[in-house]
Amino acid sequence: LILLGLISCVLLATLSTYTARKSNISAGLKTQGRSLTSRPLLMSPRRINTRTCAKMKGNQLKSATALASANLLPASLLTSAALAQDHAQRLQEVSEIDLGTTVVSQGVPLAIAGFLALQFLDPEKRRQEMTAAAGGDEMQSVANYFNGEGFERWRKIYGETDEVNKVQLDIRDGHAVTVEKVLNWLEMDGGVQGKSVCDAGCGTGSLTIPLALKGAEVSASDIAVEMTKEAKKRYEDAAAKGVTTAIEPRFEAKNLEEIEGKYDVVTCLDVMIHYPNNKANSMVKHLASLANKRLIISFAPKTFYYSTLKRIGELFPGPSKATRAYLHAEEDVERALNEAGWKVVRREMTATNFYFSRLLEAVPA
């Protein structure tokens, strides 16, 4: 992990130098007591070393530090934040750098590190390989992941086992907070007993189960059959404890596009992260078409800070980082709701170190 942190730190340092010299960008930052507001930012990669990184820590960067060496990534994040507006564009620019020129100007080790990082840590390459293995179907690639390695990972995260690391535990706690907010909202709106609820993207049943135990008639679906099997098992275990108001949910393996029917309430928590922006608009409208009274959705908000953390996290290998994760601007989601004839009446934000989720509740306008 430390080695990967070193490589990513060096790579981002190379990016900063190349971009600054090409575009002559000025940045309003202060580093080591000197203001850079009125002059071009020419951050030499030789200054981005372990000692410098160790000095550039802050509360806002806690999420990034767990992704690699705590002494290295904050400096990388700060440098990239000053120079980048679009991380995908930056990586494309680096891919166009002439390797020979880089070797001469920055040194052989720096050039090799950057080249290896692009070759072996490129998340887009891993995504394409996973999608190709699924016959070119991106959503099938997601289904394959959550029916395989992803299932084991998220079963632990959304379970009660102690076999989770600090990052996974943080995500578990954050998701639990979001679920609790939804349950509180529904109680404030008169409760769910006897109401029909569609839990789209139910996962292992984090929301489905408490709704069913409260007497809601829940139709729970997920793109991965293994997830629905686990959710059904967990419901049966919970209902066996003698909850008299419980109504067994109907579990189905299907993606969002395949859901049909009309329900009093439709919920869709932390699922839109798998849908690109050009599909999210129609997906929000589809979910709204299923609801009679209330639609509650959550999504990873698209901000510069979260986009930066996501991009850095993608540099680290592993299938869990290679499935596509899309952030969505809140105004885009709300616009889609408005176009569907709905209006937002409640909104919340859950933010822990590694879990970020914007929650909206909408009703017919």
Side-chain angles (χ1 to χ4, degrees):
L1 186 63
I2 294 175
L3 177 59
L4 292 175
L6 284 166
I7 292 175
S8 64
C9 189
V10 170
L11 173 59
L12 290 176
T14 306
L15 287 172
S16 68
T17 303
Y18 173 78
T19 307
R21 290 174 179 172
K22 181 178 179 181
S23 307
N24 199 34
I25 300 173
S26 295
L29 297 175
K30 290 185 177 181
T31 180
Q32 297 181 342
R34 293 185 296 173
S35 174
L36 302 176
T37 306
S38 59
R39 63 184 179 85
L41 180 63
L42 297 177
M43 184 73 76
S44 168
R46 295 178 179 83
R47 294 175 58 191
I48 307 299
N49 52 32
T50 305
R51 181 176 300 176
T52 303
C53 292
K55 294 179 180 179
M56 303 177 98
K57 296 181 179 179
N59 291 333
Q60 195 178 20
L61 300 177
K62 288 182 179 178
S63 300
T65 59
L67 297 175
S69 170
N71 290 332
L72 296 173
L73 278 183
S76 300
L77 178 59
L78 186 57
T79 304
S80 62
L83 300 171
Q85 292 298 322
D86 187 314
H87 298 286
Q89 180 179 350
R90 283 198 295 110
L91 288 181
Q92 179 62 34
E93 290 176 350
V94 172
S95 68
E96 297 172 355
I97 296 176
D98 179 77
L99 187 60
T101 302
T102 306
V103 170
V104 173
S105 60
Q106 307 298 339
V108 174
L110 186 60
I112 293 177
F115 178 75
L116 291 177
L118 286 175
Q119 292 298 312
F120 298 106
L121 303 183
D122 181 12
E124 183 59 30
K125 181 179 179 181
R126 299 197 306 278
R127 293 181 186 128
Q128 292 174 355
E129 291 173 349
M130 292 178 68
T131 301
D137 187 337
E138 182 177 341
M139 295 313 297
Q140 185 58 49
S141 174
V142 173
N144 291 346
Y145 168 70
F146 283 104
N147 277 321
E149 181 176 343
F151 167 69
E152 292 299 327
R153 180 173 187 264
W154 290 99
R155 181 178 64 84
K156 291 180 180 180
I157 291 177
Y158 291 154
E160 297 180 353
T161 176
D162 294 329
E163 297 177 6
V164 291
N165 58 41
K166 291 183 179 180
V167 173
Q168 293 170 335
L169 180 59
D170 183 86
I171 293 173
R172 175 193 291 176
D173 293 342
H175 181 74
V177 169
T178 296
V179 169
E180 189 63 29
K181 289 177 180 178
V182 173
L183 294 174
N184 288 339
W185 282 357
L186 293 174
E187 284 299 317
M188 292 169 62
D189 295 330
V192 297
Q193 187 168 12
K195 294 182 179 178
S196 59
V197 179
C198 171
D199 188 15
C202 65
T204 59
S206 300
L207 179 60
T208 293
I209 295 171
L211 289 175
L213 294 179
K214 291 175 179 290
E217 300 174 0
V218 185
S219 175
S221 60
D222 195 275
I223 194 172
V225 65
E226 292 300 324
M227 288 290 188
T228 60
K229 289 180 179 179
E230 178 68 16
K232 180 178 176 62
K233 179 181 179 299
R234 293 187 182 189
Y235 166 77
E236 292 172 348
D237 291 342
K241 298 178 181 179
V243 181
T244 58
T245 57
I247 299 178
E248 184 173 358
R250 182 175 72 255
F251 293 100
E252 297 179 283
K254 58 174 60 175
N255 59 37
L256 297 189
E257 294 93 331
E258 297 172 334
I259 300 175
E260 299 176 341
K262 296 291 288 187
Y263 308 87
D264 293 324
V265 179
V266 173
T267 61
C268 185
L269 302 186
D270 300 342
V271 177
M272 287 180 60
I273 196 169
H274 301 298
Y275 286 82
N277 294 326
N278 60 351
K279 291 185 178 181
N281 184 68
S282 61
M283 191 50 53
V284 170
K285 293 179 179 179
H286 174 60
L287 292 172
S289 72
L290 303 173
N292 287 325
K293 300 178 180 179
R294 207 163 303 279
L295 170 61
I296 300 177
I297 58 177
S298 72
F299 53 93
K302 187 176 183 179
T303 67
F304 182 74
Y305 177 61
Y306 295 149
S307 296
T308 301
L309 294 181
K310 171 180 174 290
R311 197 67 188 92
I312 291 176
E314 287 177 331
L315 292 175
F316 294 86
S320 64
K321 305 297 192 307
T323 51
R324 294 182 187 274
Y326 298 97
L327 309 184
H328 300 283
E330 182 175 349
E331 56 267 27
D332 293 340
V333 177
E334 187 165 2
R335 185 183 306 111
L337 287 168
N338 295 156
E339 291 174 354
W342 290 66
K343 63 180 180 180
V344 176
V345 293
R346 289 193 181 107
R347 64 188 79 219
E348 276 279 1
M349 179 70 192
T350 303
T352 63
N353 288 330
F354 301 96
Y355 176 89
F356 312 99
S357 183
R358 188 62 164 163
L359 184 66
L360 302 180
E361 180 181 6
V363 300

